[in-house]
């Protein structure tokens, strides 16, 4: 049966049932994921029309949903979602503020000077 990848629209030759580990040959996207399912609809709670399905957080990654059935709808390019790493970085920056302006580590000379200052021997008292 000819189907299309949700990410790139490439034609896929798949036999039912589709294995959980199956990926698109063109772009490497997971094939058995919510976005490829006929029950996927972002307008619904949990973005799924199947009321008995367990919630899935990442709709573009493989999962163990028992109600998966590959959608026969024609490919429609979706707006590019930000990468997971970019989303995580943005959330961290919103919690802790912007990135520090300077380098993350002090130069080796500064570190050595601070270490020497910390563990230096006290000077002997001056005799008057």
């Amino acid at each position: 049966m000819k189907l299309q990848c949700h990410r790139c629209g490439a034609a896929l030759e798949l036999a039912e049932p589709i294995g959980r580990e199956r990926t698109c040959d063109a772009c490497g996207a997971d094939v058995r994921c919510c976005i490829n399912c006929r029950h996927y609809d972002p307008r619904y709670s949990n973005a799924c029309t199947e009321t008995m399905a367990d919630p899935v957080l990442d709709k573009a990654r493989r999962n163990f949903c028992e109600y998966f059935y590959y959608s026969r709808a024609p490919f429609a390019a979706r707006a590019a979602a930000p990468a997971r790493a970019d989303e995580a970085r943005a959330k961290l920056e919103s919690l802790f503020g912007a990135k520090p302006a300077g380098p993350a580590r002090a130069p080796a000379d500064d570190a050595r000077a601070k270490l020497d200052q910390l563990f230096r021997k006290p000077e002997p008292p001056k005799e008057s």
Side-chain angles (χ1 to χ4, degrees), residues 4-10 24 27-30 35-36 60 75-78:
Q4 291 179 303
C5 173
H6 71 88
R7 184 188 291 169
C8 68
C24 173
C27 68
D30 292 326
I35 296 176
N36 279 338
F75 173 73
R78 292 178 170 82

Side-chain angles (χ1 to χ4, degrees), residues 36-79:
N36 279 338
C37 183
R38 75 171 174 174
H39 299 293
Y40 177 73
D41 190 342
R43 297 174 296 177
Y44 281 73
S45 173
N46 193 32
C48 185
T49 60
E50 178 55 56
T51 58
M52 298 298 290
D54 291 331
V56 175
L57 296 178
D58 193 346
K59 307 293 185 196
R61 295 189 70 190
R62 63 185 74 156
N63 58 62
F64 289 102
C65 183
E66 297 171 0
Y67 301 99
F68 179 83
Y69 183 79
Y70 209 98
S71 175
R72 277 32 178 198
F75 173 73
R78 292 178 170 82

